[in-house]
Amino acid sequence: MWLALCAVVTVEAQRTDDVWRQDSLQEVVVTGTGTQHLLKDAPVQTEVITQKMLRQYGGKSLEDILAGLTASFAFAEGDMGSQMQLNGLGNNYILILIDGKRIHGDVGGENDLGLIDPHNIEKIEIVKGAQSALYGSDAMAGVINIITKRHTEKGVYADNTTRYGTHNDLRQHNSVAFAFGKLTSQTNFQLQRNDGWQNTTEEFAEAMVLTDSKNKTVNKFRNWQIAERLTYRLTPNTQLYAEGSYYKKNICRPQDGMHPSCDVYTYDLRYNNASASIGGKWNPGGKKDVITLDIDWNKHAYYYDYTKGTYEYVLLKGEEYGDMDGEWYSVLMKPGQSKLQSDQQRLMGQMKGIFYLPYGNTLNAGAEYRYDYLKAPDRTETGTASDRTAALYVQDEFDRLKWLNITAGLRLVENRSFGFRLTPKVSAMLSVDDFRFRVGWSQGFKTPTVKELHYRYLHVMGSSTFFNIGNTNLNPQTSNYYSANAEYRGRRVTASVTGYLNRLDNMIALVNVPVGEIPAGITTAYLGDGSSNVQARMYKNMDDARTCGLDVTLSYKVMTGLTLNAAYSYLDTKAHLYDASKDRKSTVVIDGTAHHKWNASAMYNHSFSPLYTLGISLSGRGSSTRFYENNGNGMAFQIWRINTTHDLGRQNRMLAYRLELGVDNIFNYVDRTMRPYHLGNNTSGTTVFGTFGIKFNYGKRVKQHNLSTKQTSNNEED
């Protein structure tokens, strides 16, 4: 009996090793260098959230996915978007790509990640730090590349996924694709809505603690998006495409209350986004070499939709106002009226080529042009502002030696206002059996955004006036990023340790400033009698800043179908700003940093028959105290969740079904810190959710399956 048991264990272990090795060999990444590499051989360390992890975790949003499956991210979601942070640096330093293209959102502020449909993600690749010459100023903290599902096989594909949960949380996804002859079309639709929730009725306002505030922790919202992509294969070596999308989001805020200074809103928020792209890909001579051209236009605009009559302050501009030019003036807005607050548009053109040269050299070269335009009638000096940036880059990968990869690159940037800057990058990877050792150094260069230079946000609340103010005297930011990584990728265990140091000069941040530093004229309406309580924050260059830390990841394949994962991130930051009033440097907190973050998960998957597969995922995440300069610190927390998946029907046949049932925040953690102080996490407590999906796939792969049972349907894993 013992011999039989040992034999079974040995066979199972060998089978586990084979599956694990096969999965490791098949994972391909592109983000770090722009060229395809097996994950284990990627010259630049890349973290991957695979399709299998996405399916078993069942995240409702990109924020949910990144916070739950990686330890380096932190979020503080609000009406304006996601206050995302990666290794100590915020939204403005994180480049988010969708299939290699920059996402467009609030330039210099908070990106609305609702633009990304979680049900349409194939996998996510994460490269930390400015480790590639391919990406420009937005990537000082790192790059997140969202790789979407593409259905290119001949025939017709359609799917529907509906998720419903607590707080009337609805997430709807639909996709229809077909490919006939040389033409391929894919249409995606998503809808998201939630009634919002309130964790506390306490709010500090009017110099007192109010106990009956109507403000919600998360306001009611609804957004939807439709996107279309057409691809035409002109020749066997030439492919053309055109795509576009339209996105709309509405946020409804409390309309009643006893305290006008804190919980009575007179307008809702509305966001309108649109995008259009054309481009093509050419393989000269039918070889591996490839040349691509992309032209993209994006628009991100938001409005106030007034629900009550109220006086709003507008900035008078123009010769017709004489001495009143540059002054703030109150105008009555009536219910039903709308008012544009900000319209940010971007036009980008990019041409690049990848060439496989003799002696193990792979050359990646390209040119970029970017034009940013901001229309904000009441939030800029003249009502509009713009900027232009061009760049050339070149990168070479040397793979002549099997055990050594050296990648070096240069990026030349030219900005209309700040001139030229050349930034180098170099990395090396040493391969020894199942071990990889990587080191890297890169420089970054980031010019101030249009909003950081020109934006002026005025908010009057009761007896207080708040300003966020742009600064035309800003200098560009520069950085030096150093990293070292050791990775082991064996048959059953993967372990990685990465240390990094990011030194930034002239880092731009919103910091508190005395009223005397507010630009002349902007406060005349409130400072005349000295009765107003004015609080101002201005974009300023810090003298220097640095972030350093350690990231550790571990994955263990216990047996076929069962994997344990864990990750830990340690972060330390420091920034200095010259204080003119004290004639010395003062230490300033980089908002939102936490010294310790972690996550862990156990994922199990087993097929009981060809018609039924069960998946179970138990995962947890946590953070130590998050530090802020104003409004207190966010409390430490930990949150656990469980999700079960039930795949019904043959996944590689014409019809397949999927059912998910889960519970988030099992132990009912709720942060009830009073407004407007910072929360450790804004979860409402224990929530439940369920998802039902159906997939229809009729085409080439379905027909081939009848001839070979080894074929699988599009975008499915074994």
Side-chain angles (χ1 to χ4, degrees), residues 324-381:
M324 295 290 290
D325 182 30
E327 300 282 351
W328 290 90
Y329 182 75
S330 62
V331 175
L332 177 63
M333 303 301 297
K334 299 178 181 179
Q337 286 185 299
S338 295
K339 187 177 181 182
L340 174 68
Q341 302 301 307
S342 172
D343 180 2
Q344 301 172 79
Q345 299 188 37
R346 183 191 69 193
L347 179 65
M348 284 196 67
Q350 181 180 27
M351 185 174 184
K352 66 179 181 180
I354 300 174
F355 307 97
Y356 294 86
L357 306 178
Y359 305 108
N361 288 278
T362 302
L363 184 67
N364 196 326
E368 295 179 358
Y369 175 84
R370 172 172 174 168
Y371 177 76
D372 287 292
Y373 172 79
L374 169 66
K375 180 180 179 181
D378 298 330
R379 302 193 177 192
T380 56
E381 302 94 323

Side-chain angles (χ1 to χ4, degrees), residues 282-355:
W282 176 46
N283 295 98
K287 299 179 181 179
K288 291 174 63 178
D289 299 347
V290 60
I291 298 174
T292 61
L293 173 65
D294 299 283
I295 300 175
D296 307 305
W297 170 82
N298 294 269
K299 174 187 176 72
H300 173 80
Y302 87 95
Y303 301 79
Y304 287 172
D305 289 340
Y306 289 91
T307 55
K308 290 185 178 181
T310 185
Y311 283 93
E312 281 293 321
Y313 293 89
V314 300
L315 184 63
L316 302 179
K317 299 178 291 292
E319 296 180 356
E320 65 270 26
Y321 295 108
D323 293 339
M324 295 290 290
D325 182 30
E327 300 282 351
W328 290 90
Y329 182 75
S330 62
V331 175
L332 177 63
M333 303 301 297
K334 299 178 181 179
Q337 286 185 299
S338 295
K339 187 177 181 182
L340 174 68
Q341 302 301 307
S342 172
D343 180 2
Q344 301 172 79
Q345 299 188 37
R346 183 191 69 193
L347 179 65
M348 284 196 67
Q350 181 180 27
M351 185 174 184
K352 66 179 181 180
I354 300 174
F355 307 97

